[in-house]
Amino acid sequence: SEAIWKEVISSGKSTTVKEQKHVGFDRGVTYWDAIIMPIFEEGKVRFITSQTTDATERVTNRNRAEEHANALI
């Protein structure tokens, strides 16, 4: 969310986001992991970069396993 980006800018510290839910792609709900990092120039945050990885398959598989486990109880 925008708040996460603002926090990285104001704190000057990297952050990790796990399994951020996103609705809006044609394929439906997706989940993403991200590392958001500030880049400094002359002691000030000048840029922000992120590395984002699709976590949808992992989240979907875990949710299915939990549903199956709960059905057995």
Side-chain angles (χ1 to χ4, degrees):
S1 77
E2 186 176 337
I4 295 168
W5 292 86
K6 286 182 177 181
E7 178 63 26
V8 171
I9 292 167
S10 66
S11 71
K13 295 181 181 179
S14 298
T15 191
T16 302
V17 178
K18 289 292 211 174
E19 300 175 358
Q20 176 73 38
K21 184 177 181 178
H22 178 77
V23 180
F25 293 127
D26 289 340
R27 62 184 176 143
V29 175
T30 56
Y31 296 87
W32 299 87
D33 292 340
I35 300 170
I36 304 168
M37 300 159 283
I39 298 173
F40 295 88
E41 194 172 85
E42 297 180 9
K44 295 182 181 179
V45 175
R46 297 286 292 168
F47 306 97
I48 301 290
T49 186
S50 69
Q51 177 181 342
T52 307
T53 306
D54 188 342
T56 305
E57 186 175 350
R58 179 181 70 235
V59 172
T60 302
N61 288 340
R62 184 182 61 237
N63 289 344
R64 283 188 195 139
E66 288 172 358
E67 288 172 10
H68 287 276
N70 289 336
L72 296 174
I73 297 175

